[in-house]
Amino acid sequence: MSDSFLSLTMDVTTMPLRIGLIGAGRHGRRYIHHLLHDLPGVSLAALCRKRIGERLPPLSTTDVPVYGDYRALIADPRVEAIVVVTPPALCLEICLEAVKERKPILIEKPLAPTGREARMMVAAAEAAGLLLMTAQTLRFDSAILLLKEHLPKIGRFRYVTFTSRIEARASGHLRSPTPGQRGALLEFGVHLLDLVPFLTGEEVVAVRCELDQLPCIAPDTLAIVQAQTTSGLRCIFDVARVEAGRVARTEWVGTQGQITADWFHQRVSAVIGDIAPVEWAVQPQQTILATLRAFASAVVTNSPPPITGRDGCRAVEVADACYRSAELGGAPVSVASLRE
């Protein structure tokens, strides 16, 4: 059983934790729902949103202040911990403000738009001795956890593939993107970049990447990445926005078998040795709720979070290397070479 699974099953019913949520868009509303209804002992103490006048879902029977400035929410003495569900371009300044006010912080993936900003956030939190957690929610997915449990059965890994294709309308793709804004690879492909160390215990050290378009032109909607880990494991990533038909799966090929996990349809299947194919039942898990529960547990027990700021930073650094490789026409790029 994984440490992440243990974290999400911990009882938080006695935690008197008051959380301030920054960001109330489509994704932020999911956090609002869980904070209001699914975490006894954890309350939504305040909310910050850019368009303060827009209609919100019913917050609670008690008064929840709604701020238009994140600084006011962070400074609110009723708020004990911060959850950030904003575009990544805002995460650095919000994180630094939370560190200044000495309040633990959970930030939705990606941790930051660039590795440089992510490293600044991690350094500030670590210098202050403050909890910084990255919401790489796919680590709590039931299919991924079951895959991790059964991976040893296929022997030594030969190679692995990851595929994530999401409908354009479901991804919240901007009609008027900001110049220089990164696209699909950073927005949801970062989940896959994070899964490699989570499932193998190894870091991605080098990449080759091809994009359909560079950020200087428009946000990418297609990324094909070849990566290599510390031990030399080859990983292939297929990340795209598509017109229709979501695909979310990973396939692992080993010396003793093969195993596939589909986290959209919640299926895990394998062919091991000469035995007939086998499929394991998957009990779906609400990943945002599990992430919030793990964050609350870490804050209240003053223990390290299951997904650290460093974890989030490393995923963004791999994305940095991918974008640099694409700029160089698909040439190999070392992840370490881009760190300051």
Side-chain angles (χ1 to χ4, degrees):
M1 188 178 294
S2 71
D3 291 341
S4 294
F5 184 78
L6 287 172
S7 296
L8 68 88
T9 58
M10 291 184 67
D11 180 13
V12 296
T13 56
T14 60
M15 293 181 181
L17 184 64
R18 299 187 299 274
I19 288 180
L21 177 67
I22 302 175
R26 178 178 57 87
H27 200 45
R29 285 168 182 259
R30 297 168 182 158
Y31 279 81
I32 291 174
H33 177 83
H34 289 311
L35 288 169
L36 289 177
H37 305 294
D38 301 323
L39 283 169
V42 177
S43 66
L44 178 62
L47 178 67
C48 177
R49 66 177 315 179
K50 182 178 180 181
R51 294 180 291 275
I52 195 169
E54 283 191 5
R55 184 184 177 195
L56 284 166
L59 292 177
S60 71
T61 56
T62 59
D63 182 38
V64 177
V66 179
Y67 293 103
D69 186 338
Y70 69 85
R71 297 174 188 84
L73 178 143
I74 294 173
D76 188 330
R78 291 168 292 187
V79 172
E80 297 176 298
I82 310 297
V83 174
V84 181
V85 191
T86 68
L90 303 176
C91 291
L92 172 61
E93 58 188 58
I94 293 173
C95 179
L96 296 181
E97 188 70 19
V99 169
K100 186 175 75 172
E101 295 291 331
R102 302 201 57 78
K103 295 186 178 180
I105 185 167
L106 169 69
I107 299 179
E108 250 291 346
K109 58 79 196 162
L111 182 64
T114 67
R116 175 181 172 275
E117 292 179 55
R119 288 189 292 273
M120 291 173 63
M121 295 160 67
V122 170
E126 290 183 349
L130 199 69
L131 187 152
L132 169 61
M133 177 172 166
T134 309
Q136 294 282 174
T137 54
L138 197 52
R139 289 196 185 197
F140 293 105
D141 181 85
S142 298
I144 294 299
L145 292 171
L146 191 60
L147 167 71
K148 187 174 185 180
E149 179 183 340
H150 290 288
L151 272 177
K153 297 179 179 179
I154 67 170
R156 180 177 56 82
F157 303 142
R158 294 185 59 201
Y159 67 92
V160 57
T161 65
F162 293 89
T163 304
S164 182
R165 304 185 193 121
I166 295 181
E167 309 92 323
R169 61 180 177 277
S171 70
H173 182 43
L174 297 175
R175 295 182 180 274
S176 302
T178 304
Q181 179 181 333
R182 295 175 172 184
L185 178 61
L186 184 68
E187 181 184 342
F188 55 90
V190 75
H191 271 308
L192 312 186
L193 304 181
D194 175 70
L195 281 183
V196 174
F198 177 62
L199 293 171
T200 68
E202 299 180 16
E203 298 299 330
V204 172
V205 295
V207 301
R208 292 175 180 264
C209 178
E210 295 182 17
L211 302 174
D212 62 336
Q213 51 202 9
L214 297 176
C216 60
I217 299 172
D220 50 284
T221 63
L222 169 64
I224 303 297
V225 179
Q226 299 178 58
Q228 186 172 314
T229 70
T230 310
S231 71
L233 175 65
R234 297 180 182 276
C235 309
I236 301 171
F237 303 89
D238 171 357
V239 179
R241 289 194 178 94
V242 292
E243 293 303 316
R246 181 173 299 198
V247 176
R249 64 172 178 256
T250 179
E251 183 173 6
W252 295 69
V253 179
T255 55
Q256 298 176 33
Q258 304 169 42
I259 187 167
T260 302
D262 183 324
W263 59 90
F264 181 60
H265 295 101
Q266 289 289 286
R267 293 195 296 256
V268 178
S269 58
V271 178
I272 300 171
D274 296 327
I275 66 174
V278 60
E279 184 166 319
W280 291 282
V282 177
Q283 296 297 324
Q285 174 70 241
Q286 296 187 69
T287 58
I288 293 176
L289 174 58
T291 302
L292 282 168
R293 185 178 288 122
F295 174 63
S297 176
V299 173
V300 171
T301 61
N302 193 29
S303 57
I307 313 167
T308 65
R310 282 183 176 265
D311 292 329
C313 181
R314 281 190 286 263
V316 176
E317 288 178 333
V318 176
D320 271 1
C322 291
Y323 283 105
R324 181 56 178 158
S325 173
E327 291 171 356
L328 298 174
V333 171
S334 162
V335 177
S337 68
L338 300 183
R339 295 179 179 137
E340 294 180 349

